[in-house]
Amino acid sequence: GAGVSQTPSNKVTEKGKYVELRCDPISGHTALYWYRQSLGQGPEFLIYFQGTGAADDSGLPNDRFFAVRPEGSVSTLKIQRTERGDSAVYLCASSLRLVSYNEQFFGPGTRLTVL
Amino acid sequence: AQTVTQSQPEMSVQEAETVTLSCTYDTSENNYYLFWYKQPPSRQMILVIRQEAYKQQNATENRFSVNFQKAAKSFSLKISDSQLGDTAMYFCAYLGRSGGSNYKLTFGKGTLLTVNP
């Protein structure tokens, strides 16, 4: 079956612009996670969803970042007034349920470059 | 907060040889999970192996095995019979509750492994 997909694969924007990054999880997976991976670093947790609700958004760096999952499937990470420091690879993952033993399956990520 | 430390930014190994990647972590929890993920240049993070903290037996998956030392908070990955396709970034990751009610995945900075022909 299809894995986690993310679009676009690359996004270049200018400082101050608004961007949306999309994640399509594996069909049937109720848990969805967003991570940010800066150059030379491991992924850092941003937010995760169980169904439509954000179970934990404590990793979002500030109020310019927001994520939604209105129908419990596709999720969109939204970044307002982008800054150069937002440049990173944004990874999405999904798992069957929000429990510890369920493996997280990762997408290929979206590389965001803010000029 | 939990921390995961990978002290080897880069390593190299000859094809068919064995290599060990190091990982240490800091936690006050007793129940948690540990993982090794592989990230090739395609950026797709792939699970290599997992270990439940309550299990004393070290996990193995074909050519990949771990040495889990709970008291020392150490979780190293051994790759036997290295293959060119093993060339990738390897991340050690910890899954625990961090004092809250939800499990979170915390990654180390990674080790870039190069397998030479």
Side-chain angles (χ1 to χ4, degrees), chain A residues 9-10 35 37 40-43 45 48 55-56 58 89 91 100-101 103-104 106-111, chain B residues 33 35 37 39 42-47 50 52 89 91 95 101-110:
Chain A
S9 59
N10 289 282
Y35 297 87
Q37 186 175 17
Q41 304 291 319
F45 164 79
Y48 61 68
D56 188 331
S58 62
V89 173
L91 296 170
S100 58
Y101 49 83
E103 179 183 345
Q104 292 185 29
F106 283 81
T110 293
R111 182 180 300 280
Chain B
Y33 301 78
F35 305 85
Y37 281 90
Q39 188 178 42
S42 66
R43 298 199 306 246
Q44 191 94 38
M45 195 78 76
I46 302 164
L47 179 63
R50 64 180 285 160
E52 291 84 354
M89 198 74 172
F91 291 97
L95 183 70
S101 60
N102 297 314
Y103 280 90
K104 289 183 188 176
L105 202 54
T106 302
F107 288 85
K109 289 188 174 182

Side-chain angles (χ1 to χ4, degrees), chain A residues 2-43:
Chain A
V4 178
S5 62
Q6 293 186 245
T7 54
S9 59
N10 289 282
K11 175 72 176 178
V12 180
T13 190
E14 293 179 343
K15 180 176 178 292
K17 299 289 188 182
Y18 168 83
V19 296
E20 290 189 351
L21 312 179
R22 176 188 168 106
C23 172
D24 279 86
I26 292 173
S27 178
H29 280 195
T30 62
L32 184 146
Y33 315 78
W34 283 100
Y35 297 87
R36 179 167 71 174
Q37 186 175 17
S38 301
L39 193 62
Q41 304 291 319

